[in-house]
Amino acid sequence: EAHGRAAARRSALSQVERQRADLQARLARVQAEIEELAGRGADLDGARSAHVEKLGKTRQLKLHLEEQRGAQEGLLDRTRSEFIQNEARLITLREELSDRRARLQSLQEVLRNYEGYGRGVRSLMTRARAPEAGENGVLGLVADVLQVPADYENAVEAVLGERLQYVIVESHSQGVEAIDWLKSAAEGRASLIPLLRLRDGDAAGSGPDRAHPGFVAACLDVVRFDPSYERLARFLLGDACIVRDLASALEIWQSGGGAGTLVTLDGEVLDPAGVVTGGPLEGEGHGALQRRREVQELTETVRTFEADFSLAQERHRALQSRLLQLEAALKTIDRDNREKDLALVTQEKDLARLGEELERVASRVGQLELDRGALEEGLSGLSREEETHQLEAAAAEGERARQEERAREAAARVEELDRRGESLQAEVLAVKVKVASERERRDGIGESLRRVEVAQSAAEERRARLFAALSEGNARASELRERMAGARDDGARLADELARVREVLGVERAAHQEATTQARSAEVEARDLRKRAEAITQAAGDAALTAREAALELTHLEEQIRERCQAELRDELLRFHAARPPGEAERRRLDELKGQAERMGAINLTAIEEYDDLARRHAFLSEQKGDLESSLADLQKAITRINRASRERFRETFDRVNEKFQQVFPRLFNGGRAGLVLTDDGEDQSGGVEIFAQPPGKKLQNINLLSGGEKALTAVSLIFAIFLIKPSPFCLLDEVDAPLDDANVGRYNELVKEMAKASQFILITHNKRTMEMVDTLYGVTMEEPGVSKLVSVRLSSGEKSAAA
């Protein structure tokens, strides 16, 4: 405490010295500031004049920037609309190109794997195309070397049939090698054509009559192939001609127009012998020509789509670059405009500040004069306070010396007590260590005794077990020796018995083989007997069926004679056999009467009345037909006029909705852009509307690629855009804000509140923020099970602010 009091007095003196120095420094600063403010007032008057002139120039530049901004915004809107349309076309091209590529890849995979061909053909071609196969002489399939137009594919496939999957090899040696491989690998069958050793077929004759109206073309005239395969093509299709239909083929064949094969466009085949083959084309190899043609067409289509897609991409990049340039230019103009606005505000503030500064300078000078007087008075007060602190410091130093002497005496006594305490603590520690060591030694001796006892008892038990095992082993050894002797005797006896059994087995095997041969011959004979029995049974069934059919026919004939001639067949048959046979004159008369009856036919006595009725009906229906045709023409004109007006109205409404949609979307998304594009504006009105949206921070894309909340907000934007064009007295929104977050709900509520000025909105919602902004709340509660109760609350403006 004495040290503290002395230090406090020294600190107080030091503080007084610092305060004096601080006051003297402040006094000097105040004097310098007064002199500086006098010069600054003159500078402020000149700066005010310069700022007035600069402010006028800045206002002129701002007007010029506003004009530039209006022109850039118009150009940017046109470029953005063009960019949206091109991007929609780019997305469409990308999807179509992806579909074509997928179809082309699947067809190429089918051709690569030879799907649709026989197992043997597929195995041979897969082996031939393997990298390790080398030169094996396999040139391909017949379907690979022929190119047929789409109109004649069915005809050529019908003529070739299974020959489409013939494998083309160079010579017979490669064919024999391939057949050997198929047999060894059990991979099925295949037919091979040696190209170099192929013999020309017989001449096909003069060919069919090409002047016949049903003749279309010769197969060789419509099929394209490499010149190296000309002999193969003539071998396969040299005598084949394509005709219009089967009736034409039969006419050409009956007229003897050549011995070639005739095939119709639908795939019916008439060979030179007159055999007709028809029906749907199916089986292995069917569709090979169509698949190859489709691959070629798809390759060209994909190439065309890729070129169009590349052009669209280039235009897209050009438009995007132009859009970015325009946006950058507009941003530059906006930035310059903001800078000019800021400069205007800054300059106006500077003018105001200069006036205020002049006033502050004058006020500051007066204040500094007052501060200077206060500082001089503070210096005199510090001198008096310093004298008082010096007297108190001298008294505190004397007290500190006395207290230090007492502290030294107390420290000596404390040191002596510490030495005695340390000695006693060492003795206590030695006693504790000795007690612990004796206890640990006692516990160790007891543990050793227990381990010795346990080991002794275990040794006794082990010795007893060993003696018992030794006795058991001796008994087991004696038993095993006896069993070995018995086993030797059994082995000798079994060897003798094995020899006897082998002899008996040889005899039985020969007898069994003979019995097997007899059984097989008996089985063949039984099979023949079964076949004969089945044939007899079938013949008996056919005979019974024929008898039943004859009985039914006889019954039917009797009924017809009874109805038509009012006579019985049995009586007439007896009378016929009893009468004299008719002569030649009677036979001629009978034939003459039959001919007259056939020429006469049936006689209709009411034909005249029916004709008059039909004539009147025909006149009536003709008149009705004329009226209907006239009405149909008038109706068609009305439909055309209505369609034209509908298209104009639709286009006008679509443009208005698109314009409103582009305005509403950025409000709900707090940025971004969106637009509507017609996918097809043809005469048949079969197109649709695509929605393209670009939320803030994302790229322009189809609405199907957006998230759930973005889809909901985009749909709300479109609905509100339509509603703004033609509002209705009220609007019902059911759980529209369910997928929206709090920020989007706030913007949605603001727009609903704005539109509620012209229409009444009914909202079904569970969102608290939406409930806070409504005028009236209706809730359904169930106080008792099965009994619903309606609760309504009308919110005033004060209640809504309190709820918020």
Side-chain angles (χ1 to χ4, degrees), residues 614-628:
L614 290 175
R616 287 192 297 271
R617 181 169 176 77
H618 179 265
F620 174 75
L621 292 178
S622 298
E623 183 180 356
Q624 294 292 323
K625 178 175 178 291
D627 294 340
L628 289 175

Side-chain angles (χ1 to χ4, degrees), residues 43 744 763 801:
D43 295 337
N744 291 326
L763 309 178
S801 62

Side-chain angles (χ1 to χ4, degrees), residues 734-741 745 748-749 764-767 770:
D734 185 3
E735 294 283 357
V736 173
D737 54 359
L740 304 182
D741 55 14
V745 169
Y748 160 76
N749 290 337
I764 299 175
T765 182
H766 291 281
N767 192 286
T770 304

Side-chain angles (χ1 to χ4, degrees), residues 117 142-144 146-148 152-154 156-157 160 164 285-294:
Y117 294 98
V142 170
D144 297 339
L146 300 180
Q147 297 179 8
V148 184
Y152 304 118
E153 281 178 353
N154 286 337
V156 175
E157 279 197 6
L160 294 178
L164 278 173
H286 171 57
L289 297 177
Q290 178 187 355
R291 287 194 292 270
R292 292 214 164 263
R293 176 182 56 78
E294 191 174 354

Side-chain angles (χ1 to χ4, degrees), residues 47-64 340 343-348 351:
R48 178 190 290 176
S49 301
H51 274 82
V52 170
E53 182 180 359
K54 187 176 180 181
L55 183 62
K57 294 180 180 179
T58 304
R59 284 173 177 165
Q60 292 293 331
L61 287 174
K62 187 175 185 304
L63 291 175
H64 181 64
K340 294 299 179 290
L344 283 174
V345 174
T346 304
Q347 291 168 7
E348 291 173 353
L351 283 175

Side-chain angles (χ1 to χ4, degrees), residues 658-675 691-696 700 703 706 710-711 713-718 720-721 747 751:
N658 190 18
E659 181 182 357
K660 289 293 183 181
F661 180 55
Q662 293 176 0
Q663 296 173 3
V664 174
F665 184 88
R667 290 191 59 185
L668 285 176
F669 278 87
N670 197 19
R673 57 195 176 98
I691 302 176
F692 292 93
Q694 183 180 10
L700 189 66
I703 189 174
L706 299 178
E710 291 171 341
K711 286 181 181 177
L713 215 55
T714 304
V716 171
S717 303
L718 181 58
F720 283 176
R747 292 192 291 272
L751 190 57

